[in-house]
Every structure is written in C-alpha cells, then in structure tokens.
Amino acid sequence: MDILFAGSIIGLGVILIGILFFIIHILICIWGYRDARRLGRSPEFALLVVLGLLFFPVVGLIIYLLIRRA
C-alpha cells in the first residue's frame, strides 16, 4: 500500500468524523430549541438555549440539562 494512499484514507476518515460531529452538533441545537419551546418557555429563552448550545456545545448542553426543569 502506498503511503500517500494510506494518508489520504486517514484524511478522509478524519473529515467524515468531523462532518458527523458537526451534524450531531446541529441536531443537538435543534433539539434544544424544540425542547425549550415544548416545555412552554418563551421564544427568547429558546433562542438563548440555541446560542448557548451553538457556541458552548458540551458546557451548554450540561447547563441546559440542569436548568431545563427549573
């Protein structure tokens, strides 16, 4: 196997994993908005949830899960 071919396969794998994480990130943002609206929160609060999840994915998700029932 040629080294350049192996490197391109690894690069393709890294790109596909990055795309998968991006799609999961967007789906979590959509879920957060819909969940906030479903729980009867205002559209402004739902927008803040989306912004928090968009810019701080892991921390934003943890904080939202902690305050969503409060």
Side-chain angles (χ1 to χ4, degrees):
M1 181 183 273
D2 189 30
I3 292 178
L4 292 177
F5 178 72
S8 63
I9 294 294
I10 292 171
L12 180 64
V14 169
I15 290 172
L16 290 177
I17 290 172
I19 291 171
L20 178 67
F21 280 138
F22 178 73
I23 291 171
I24 290 171
H25 178 69
I26 296 300
L27 290 175
I28 287 174
C29 291
I30 293 170
W31 170 82
Y33 179 81
R34 288 182 179 173
D35 187 62
R37 293 298 296 148
R38 183 181 58 84
L39 292 175
R41 303 293 183 131
S42 68
E44 293 83 13
F45 179 80
L47 183 62
L48 286 175
V49 168
V50 169
L51 290 175
L53 291 173
L54 190 63
F55 291 113
F56 308 103
V58 176
V59 175
L61 182 61
I62 292 170
I63 290 173
Y64 177 65
L65 289 175
L66 289 174
I67 66 169
R68 71 186 283 234
R69 296 286 181 194

